[in-house]
Amino acid sequence: MLFKKVVDVAVHMESFKNIDLTQQGVYQLHLRLFYKAFNGTNVIPPLMLKVYAMPYYLNETLKPQTSKHVDFHSLVPAHILEGLYTFCTRSFLVRYSEEEVALNYIVQFRTVLDTPMPKNGLPFFLEAELLFSDFSSLSGPKRIIGLTATQVRVGVG
């Protein structure tokens, strides 16, 4: 009987703090978890492939929005892009220096290992991207402030 190893990794993101961002706009974080594996060829040096873990569980512990007005720290809800093995935080507006946005996400990634585990373990890597959209692409801050939550989320899927 062949056994496979299932590895689950939980990542908790408490908050995002603007320390050195100089532009006001909408930000979003994308996270991917991977390990490196040999591709099985005899090329020297050996080629390493990134093997991505699938984000499969998202626990957002913030209270849902009940107001008709826009929560500037939750413009687009958090979601998982399965085809890209990517977890995306909700989109949030950053307006000033030292602003802190509470995220409070717990996301779990899972991968199945087909190869034997090395003696010293298998290192995993967390890849994070910070995406940005300038105010000018959204018709400026005055336009966003006047929107309702329904208007902001139109077309998001």
Side-chain angles (χ1 to χ4, degrees):
M1 177 181 272
L2 179 64
F3 291 101
K4 294 185 179 187
K5 294 167 243 13
V6 176
V7 177
D8 280 355
V9 176
V11 176
H12 176 245
M13 290 181 295
E14 181 180 334
S15 62
F16 174 87
K17 185 170 185 178
N18 174 17
I19 295 172
D20 201 23
L21 299 175
T22 58
Q23 286 190 289
Q24 293 183 343
V26 179
Y27 288 83
Q28 185 180 57
L29 287 164
H30 285 194
L31 297 182
R32 284 183 289 283
L33 185 79
F34 67 91
Y35 67 93
K36 293 182 180 180
F38 293 107
N39 71 347
T41 63
N42 293 326
V43 177
I44 297 180
L47 297 175
M48 300 293 282
L49 300 175
K50 289 182 178 180
V51 180
Y52 287 93
M54 177 62 75
Y56 72 95
Y57 176 74
L58 165 64
N59 181 11
E60 184 176 11
T61 56
L62 290 178
K63 295 177 182 171
Q65 182 175 335
T66 57
S67 171
K68 280 184 63 177
H69 297 285
V70 175
D71 175 4
F72 295 116
H73 291 160
S74 186
L75 297 173
V76 175
H79 55 282
I80 292 172
L81 298 174
E82 290 183 7
L84 298 174
Y85 302 96
T86 302
F87 163 70
C88 307
T89 66
R90 66 183 177 276
S91 298
F92 49 90
L93 187 61
V94 172
R95 294 175 282 183
Y96 53 88
S97 181
E98 300 296 321
E99 181 174 7
E100 188 165 0
V101 178
L103 296 175
N104 212 10
Y105 291 116
I106 297 172
V107 61
Q108 287 181 282
F109 292 87
R110 175 175 285 169
T111 190
V112 177
L113 301 176
D114 295 329
T115 59
M117 183 71 79
K119 291 179 185 176
N120 58 352
L122 183 64
F124 279 83
F125 302 90
L126 184 64
E127 190 175 79
E129 286 183 281
L130 179 62
L131 281 66
F132 168 76
S133 181
D134 192 4
F135 268 144
S136 61
S137 68
L138 302 168
S139 302
K142 291 179 183 174
R143 165 97 169 94
I144 291 177
I145 290 169
L147 295 177
T148 66
T150 307
Q151 290 171 313
V152 170
R153 290 194 174 96
V154 170
V156 175

